[in-house]
Every structure is written in C-alpha cells, then in structure tokens.
Amino acid sequence: MTTEAAAGTVDLTVMYAAHDAFRRDLERLGDAAAEGTAFTPQVRAGWDNFRHQLHIHHTAEDSDLWPRVERKVAGRPRDVALLAEMEAEHALLDPRLTAVDAALKDRSAELPALVRSLASTLDEHLAHEEESALPLIREVLTPADWGAFTGRIRKTQGVRGAALFVPWIVEGAPPADRARFLGALPPPVRVLNKLFWEAGYRRRGLWVA
C-alpha cells in the first residue's frame, strides 16, 4: 500500500505514470518521423500499442471517471464545466490520431507535422488535466471511489492487457519513477512483471528502428 492510500487519499501514481508514457511514445514517434524510420513494423507496432493504451485510458475516463466526479460536484458550475472540457479535449484528439494513423499507412511526407500537432494537443490536454482535474479528483473522490474506477480498467484489460500495460509504463522510466509506479501495484503483479511480463514485452521490440 502506498503512503497516499494509507493516508486515505486517492493515489494518482498510476495516472501520472500513464501520462508520462503517452508523452514518451509520441516523442519516439516524432523522432522516428524526423529520422525516416517511422514506417518500420516495430515503430508501427509501438504506435498501435500507444493508440490502444490511450483508447482504454480515455474511454474509462469518459464513461466512468468524469461522471463519478460530476456526481460529487453537482451544484459547482466551474467544476462541472471543467469536466466537460476534459471530454471535449478527448474529442479534439480523435481526428489527429486518425490523421497520424493514415499518414503511417500511406507513408505520407506530412507525418512529422501531423505528429507534432497530435503531440501538442495531447500535451496541452494532459497538462490541463494534471493542473486542474487531478487535484479535483483528489478533493472529491475517496480511495473507494478511485478503486472502483481503476477496477473497471483492470477488468477491461484483463491479465493479458496488464501483461502489456505494466512493462510498457516502466520501459525507460527513471529508477525513482519506476520504483514509485511498481510500488503502487499489488505484490503479485510486481512478481509477474519481473518474472515474465517485461521479458515478453522486450521481445515485441516496440519502437526499435
């Protein structure tokens, strides 16, 4: 159990770690696009995983997290408006994701510019969420509320999804960030990741030019 969970506050360690992983992957794609290596199968596999992880993340927020928070802030117009902004920002990302996907399939020369547009839009959204929405979550949700939300994600992912998600998060992370993220997970998950999942993830060769 993390210090935050023990203290009775929502532990956002995994949320911040996911945000860092999204930023990292788009930086990788931007570098590959600039270097002319973005059309390899390994980079494409890295992109496909990025889209998969982002879809799970944002779908769970829209379907479960934001409605859960909205019920807590009924009668607080500014907070209700903030949650609407979160969903609207998700919608802004969809056409940019589609454009990058099409550019990768078509080997388009526009790929670097499209990746920059996507990265800028996503980074603005993540920063807004970290500055405003995550503090609101911590204010109004209980650890039980948060556990219900994260439980929905775990159910959606299943064991196979977790076997990809956990090593994806920690790949290339600084030691302190890696330890913090893994420390927020149940001990059996840490054991599985150490013994099996990370090796399986490395064999995928995601993003290797």
Side-chain angles (χ1 to χ4, degrees), residues 14-97:
V14 175
M15 180 71 82
Y16 281 109
H19 286 191
D20 289 344
F22 293 138
R23 292 180 173 112
R24 175 204 66 206
D25 276 10
L26 280 189
E27 183 176 350
R28 285 171 167 171
L29 182 59
D31 290 344
E35 295 165 3
T37 59
F39 307 117
T40 64
Q42 294 88 347
V43 171
R44 180 57 198 244
W47 163 254
D48 288 342
N49 178 61
F50 165 84
R51 286 201 68 179
H52 173 71
Q53 301 296 347
L54 188 66
H55 174 74
I56 290 176
H57 186 84
H58 282 171
T59 298
E61 287 183 340
D62 289 342
S63 66
D64 189 272
L65 181 57
W66 306 139
R68 191 179 295 274
V69 175
E70 188 170 13
R71 291 192 290 271
K72 301 280 189 174
V73 299
R76 294 165 55 170
R78 289 182 63 182
D79 291 335
V80 172
L82 171 64
L83 300 175
E85 289 169 5
M86 292 295 106
E87 294 191 38
E89 289 168 13
H90 287 180
L92 283 176
L93 287 165
D94 290 341
R96 289 166 173 79
L97 289 162

Side-chain angles (χ1 to χ4, degrees), residues 127-147:
H128 188 196
E129 185 174 305
E130 291 165 355
E131 291 167 5
S132 301
L134 297 190
L136 179 62
I137 287 169
R138 215 172 231 152
E139 175 192 344
V140 303
L141 293 189
T142 66
D145 293 325
W146 186 250

Side-chain angles (χ1 to χ4, degrees), residues 84-133:
E85 289 169 5
M86 292 295 106
E87 294 191 38
E89 289 168 13
H90 287 180
L92 283 176
L93 287 165
D94 290 341
R96 289 166 173 79
L97 289 162
T98 300
V100 170
D101 199 49
L104 281 167
K105 290 177 180 175
D106 297 340
R107 296 176 171 262
S108 171
E110 298 298 316
L111 180 63
L114 293 171
V115 174
R116 286 194 298 271
S117 176
L118 172 60
S120 175
T121 303
L122 180 61
D123 193 57
E124 288 175 6
H125 165 65
L126 296 179
H128 188 196
E129 185 174 305
E130 291 165 355
E131 291 167 5
S132 301

